[in-house]
Amino acid sequence: MEEVVVSDEDLKNAQCNYVEEFSTGNVDSNTQFRYAYCLVHSPAKSDILKGLDLLRGLCHSGTDQRDYLYYLAVGNYKLNEYKTALKYTSRILQIEPNNRQALTLDQKIKSQMQKDGLLGLGIVGSAIVVGGAALLVGLLSRKK
């Protein structure tokens, strides 16, 4: 995944187009996607969150699902919401197992999780929960 920089002018134009169409009550999915794309590539967390909301709305329309899912993964990755980002790359890969863009992003997310120690923590956390449950069952069965 390459780091995309969207100019302030592009963001402003996309926003103006979206607001104009929104005010008429009829927003074209391409307009909404363009605005969401610009927002997801913003450095501002609030913009990314707004872009993710717009993309989730587009997913319900059912068209160009792959692109929507990809940028949902990108936005969540940028917010360090790695598990959510992986959920979206996994959905793409279920549809298109050889999608290079999704495979690359999926690997980047997993690599970042490993660097942050989150991949290991998730495994350790699961082991602790399972081990704790087994211990509890053992203790309860002794009391009988």
Side-chain angles (χ1 to χ4, degrees):
M1 178 184 91
E2 62 185 63
E3 186 60 36
V4 175
V5 178
V6 175
S7 71
D8 290 339
E9 183 180 343
D10 285 345
L11 176 58
K12 193 170 284 199
N13 286 338
Q15 181 182 24
C16 286
N17 291 336
Y18 177 80
V19 169
E20 182 180 318
E21 289 183 18
F22 187 82
S23 69
T24 67
N26 190 21
V27 179
D28 182 73
S29 60
N30 290 326
T31 302
Q32 185 167 334
F33 176 72
R34 180 69 186 147
Y35 184 38
Y37 172 90
C38 290
L39 289 167
V40 164
H41 288 94
S42 168
K45 181 178 179 178
S46 60
D47 284 349
I48 296 169
L49 290 168
K50 186 188 289 185
L52 292 175
D53 282 341
L54 291 171
L55 287 166
R56 280 190 290 273
L58 286 168
C59 279
H60 298 296
S61 70
T63 57
D64 295 319
Q65 195 96 27
R66 181 190 61 232
D67 289 337
Y68 305 155
L69 293 172
Y70 179 77
Y71 289 107
L72 280 163
V74 169
N76 280 285
Y77 172 76
K78 289 180 70 176
L79 294 173
N80 301 326
E81 296 291 337
Y82 303 128
K83 286 183 181 181
T84 304
L86 284 175
K87 178 180 84 172
Y88 290 116
T89 57
S90 292
R91 283 177 60 190
I92 296 168
L93 294 171
Q94 285 175 342
I95 300 164
E96 295 180 20
N98 296 319
N99 183 301
R100 283 221 177 292
Q101 198 177 30
L103 286 166
T104 301
L105 180 56
D106 192 79
Q107 192 55 46
K108 185 171 184 169
I109 294 164
K110 288 176 181 171
S111 175
Q112 189 61 49
M113 288 176 77
Q114 210 164 27
K115 282 182 192 171
D116 293 352
L118 297 176
L119 209 52
L121 285 176
I123 293 167
V124 170
S126 296
I128 289 171
V129 169
V130 169
L135 180 63
L136 185 59
V137 167
L139 288 173
L140 291 174
S141 64
R142 279 189 175 175
K143 286 189 173 190
K144 291 181 179 182

